[in-house]
Amino acid sequence: MSQHFVPDALPTRLQHYIGGEFVDSVGGETFEVLDPVTNQPYATAASGQKADVDAAVAAARQAFAHGPWPRMKARERANVLYRIADAVVEQEDRLAELETFDTGLPITQARGQAKRAAENFRFFADLIVAQHDNAFKVPGAQVNYVNRKPIGVAGLITPWNTPFMLESWKLAPSIASGCTVVLKPAEFTPLSASLWAAIFKEAGLPDGVFNLVNGLGETAGDSLVKHPDVPLISFTGESSTGQTIFRNCAEGLKGMSMELGGKSPAIVFADADFDAAIDSTLFGVFSLNGERCTAGSRILVQRDIYDRFCAVYAERARNIKVGDPHDPQTQVGALVHPEHYDKVMGYVELGKSEGRLLAGGGRPEHLPAGQENGSYVAPTVFADVAPDARIFQEEIFGPVVAITPFDTDEEALELANGTKYGLAAYVWTSDLKRAHNFAQDVEAGMVWLNSHNVRDLRSPFGGVKASGLGHEGGYRSIDFYTDQQAVHITLGDVHTPKFGSLDDAAKLDG
Ligand code: NAD
């Protein structure tokens, strides 16, 4: 393997960012951050406790209640958001290097992340400037209009897969709406989040609008969820964590947006464009190391083409280049953390008794063994996987796919809907009627017909069943971070019964 790449000026100490200042934890607590290629600690991060979250929320609350940001004109806020987008793009190479170093994502796949993150800021800048709210008129009687107001301090809690880009999904609409925020990034991958502070400051975002608290979910995340001055929690992560947060939000009756796990099916009918389906379903599960929420990790293939599909798919999977994430040839890099590697490897071993192993099945043979040599898993393909198998039912979040045959459309639908999740579905067929009817019936928040996941920021993004609650994307995100107050103006006479007056009493008597 090539010499291990370490980015220049790699920070070795990561702090919180509160009220425009970098600070350590009040009590000095820290945790270690590992590099997934050596699994050795490379940095020490401040580990947020309740006191640190209290300080961050106080700064955000101050900026919301007394600062200029929520009161600025939409155009003024948009100009700041455009400058943020420009600064993110300027950091593209640096961001890709840091993201790859921290997460183990292949560098070629990390490179697109800055543009996608920047696009989120541009999109919401445009949206708030163009936004108009409803007015309802009853001529001669009443005019009612909607007065949209930012809600307050939003708590943003994010996962470790494509961390910077996923943070931008929440940061862009929340601050565009005029909220102030406290971000709690994932503890496995805090490095790229440390870039936001300088980007925001340079773009002219007032201090206190953006605050960052690093730390573990059970301490920093939990304190943020339970803080009484945080009325909104936007969370992306595992479904089981979402359930815990849901329970904890109940006490404060908080607004919640939840983007959770998935076990999305790709359904390949015999009439599909075979080559396109092979390319897309390979990319759909093995890109981003398989650590993607919308991965098409169950492939359902119609019996007529099943054997051919499995053979070609497995052959291609065996040829995928696994290795150093910084090598531009690499297609699958190192998994994010040894804990996650152990989880994925557990499923790989389980799969050997639940399916027919066609490719992979462990560490790639050309890479040295041992945790100190990185968390590598060969792209693993299991065929003939029964619908009650755990590798069919449970989210693995790694480069592992289960392939299952079907005969009829009805059977395909039953298999597709047969898990607790409902994030995405990918349908491969050249029959227009079948494609649309299947999309109608499949239990998934998002469906792609003859494609893998390609986004349009205006469309709703989110899952059904155990995959999420609420949708992000376009105006839905703005709706989440704002209240729509109804203001009523009377234009005519309003009949008001005169409670307690003698006139009314006389009328009643009469
Ligand atoms: P996770 O649930 O373990 O952690 C996510 C975040 O929640 C982290 O910042 C963590 O520190 C925090 N957290 C953990 N426990 C908490 C608690 N009790 N209170 C408050 N915060 C807490 O998820 P992960 O392993 O980081 O990410 C992978 C998961 O995220 C997968 O299930 C994946 O499908 C999901 N995901 C979903 C989407 C989507 O849009 N639906 C996108 C990306 C990832």
Side-chain angles (χ1 to χ4, degrees):
M1 195 186 291
S2 52
Q3 185 73 31
H4 178 37
F5 174 85
V6 177
D8 286 342
L10 181 71
T12 54
R13 183 165 161 241
L14 300 170
Q15 294 178 287
H16 310 306
Y17 183 73
I18 298 177
E21 304 286 336
F22 283 104
V23 292
D24 289 323
S25 287
V26 173
E29 295 85 353
T30 59
F31 67 95
E32 288 191 325
V33 190
L34 307 187
D35 141 22
V37 168
T38 61
N39 285 321
Q40 296 303 308
Y42 75 86
T44 302
S47 182
Q49 311 295 310
K50 184 173 179 305
D52 307 300
V53 171
D54 286 349
V57 174
R61 183 69 217 154
Q62 170 74 17
F64 186 77
H66 305 293
W69 188 251
R71 288 152 202 90
M72 276 162 69
K73 293 192 176 86
R75 170 60 75 198
E76 292 170 336
R77 282 209 299 270
N79 286 339
V80 175
L81 296 172
Y82 288 132
R83 290 200 289 273
I84 292 171
D86 292 343
V88 167
V89 172
E90 270 167 34
Q91 302 239 7
E92 186 169 17
D93 292 340
R94 175 73 174 159
L95 171 68
E97 262 178 28
L98 295 182
E99 203 72 312
T100 288
F101 185 81
D102 202 25
T103 65
L105 277 187
I107 185 75
T108 50
Q109 297 169 35
R111 277 208 187 107
Q113 304 294 321
K115 281 207 181 72
R116 292 189 61 189
E119 203 44 43
N120 282 322
F121 286 93
R122 295 211 176 93
F123 176 82
F124 285 106
D126 292 342
L127 214 57
I128 55 168
V129 170
Q131 176 140 27
H132 62 95
D133 286 313
N134 289 328
F136 305 95
K137 297 166 198 159
V138 186
Q142 217 179 31
V143 172
N144 308 326
Y145 68 89
V146 171
N147 183 25
R148 194 181 278 273
K149 302 195 280 189
I151 291 180
V153 178
L156 314 179
I157 302 179
T158 49
W160 48 256
N161 62 319
T162 58
F164 190 84
M165 207 281 293
L166 282 182
E167 288 151 18
S168 76
W169 273 17
K170 299 187 187 301
L171 288 167
S174 55
I175 64 177
S177 302
C179 286
T180 60
V181 306
V182 177
L183 170 68
K184 206 302 278 173
E187 54 268 45
F188 285 176
T189 56
L191 182 58
S192 55
S194 66
L195 296 176
W196 287 118
I199 289 171
F200 288 150
K201 198 156 209 136
E202 197 187 308
L205 190 74
D207 288 346
V209 174
F210 166 76
N211 303 276
L212 167 84
V213 177
N214 284 302
L216 310 187
E218 297 72 20
T219 45
D222 187 65
S223 300
L224 186 56
V225 166
K226 292 178 178 165
H227 200 293
D229 288 340
V230 177
L232 292 177
I233 294 292
S234 177
F235 169 75
T236 300
E238 282 187 16
S239 300
S240 57
T241 315
Q243 287 174 304
T244 305
I245 292 178
F246 196 107
R247 278 192 288 273
N248 291 337
C249 282
E251 186 69 24
L253 292 171
K254 300 190 180 207
M256 283 178 296
S257 173
M258 300 234 160
E259 301 293 348
L260 308 177
K263 188 76 183 178
S264 301
I267 305 102
V268 186
F269 287 92
D271 63 2
D273 177 336
F274 186 88
D275 294 338
I278 288 277
D279 288 343
S280 186
T281 52
L282 280 159
F283 182 79
V285 70
F286 296 122
S287 55
L288 306 179
N289 299 342
E291 298 162 322
R292 64 186 303 165
C293 53
T294 53
S297 52
R298 293 183 294 141
I299 308 183
L300 313 176
V301 183
Q302 200 156 26
R303 186 98 49 194
D304 321 37
I305 57 163
Y306 184 71
D307 289 343
R308 183 169 154 237
F309 186 94
C310 289
V312 175
Y313 195 91
E315 170 78 24
R316 289 275 298 273
R318 283 191 286 270
N319 289 337
I320 290 174
K321 293 197 170 47
V322 186
D324 186 341
H326 295 278
D327 181 343
Q329 301 298 316
T330 292
Q331 293 169 316
V332 170
L335 296 193
V336 67
H337 192 275
E339 269 176 35
H340 185 59
Y341 174 79
D342 289 346
K343 174 185 153 187
V344 173
M345 280 301 213
Y347 280 109
V348 168
E349 286 312 310
L350 176 68
K352 292 175 184 170
S353 61
E354 289 191 329
R356 179 163 56 96
L357 180 67
L358 296 184
R363 279 182 82 86
E365 281 167 11
H366 69 284
L367 296 175
Q371 212 182 60
E372 70 285 5
N373 291 310
S375 299
Y376 294 102
V377 177
T380 296
V381 181
F382 292 107
D384 309 347
V385 178
D388 60 351
R390 284 182 57 204
I391 61 164
F392 187 96
Q393 291 292 332
E394 297 174 19
E395 183 181 45
I396 300 174
F397 219 56
V400 182
V401 70
I403 310 185
T404 304
F406 70 86
D407 290 297
T408 62
D409 290 41
E410 293 71 29
E411 196 189 345
L413 186 67
E414 197 178 321
L415 287 168
N417 289 344
T419 73
K420 69 175 181 175
Y421 294 107
L423 191 56
Y426 308 88
V427 184
W428 286 89
T429 176
S430 54
D431 180 333
L432 209 57
K433 278 191 200 157
R434 166 188 274 158
H436 292 290
N437 288 329
F438 203 94
Q440 171 69 33
D441 292 337
V442 74
E443 293 165 356
M446 298 168 286
V447 182
W448 277 271
L449 304 178
N450 297 319
S451 163
H452 49 83
N453 167 354
V454 180
R455 285 279 334 268
D456 171 340
L457 293 180
R458 294 168 301 178
S459 318
F461 185 99
V464 297
K465 294 158 71 180
S467 290
L469 190 71
H471 283 88
E472 298 187 352
Y475 285 115
R476 295 156 207 88
S477 300
I478 301 287
D479 285 349
F480 176 71
Y481 293 105
T482 53
D483 269 331
Q484 296 185 54
Q485 180 186 54
V487 180
H488 304 83
I489 309 158
T490 297
L491 302 177
D493 291 334
V494 178
H495 170 68
T496 311
K498 296 181 183 299
F499 278 21
S501 99
L502 290 177
D503 286 358
D504 256 25
K507 261 190 220 149
L508 286 174
D509 287 348

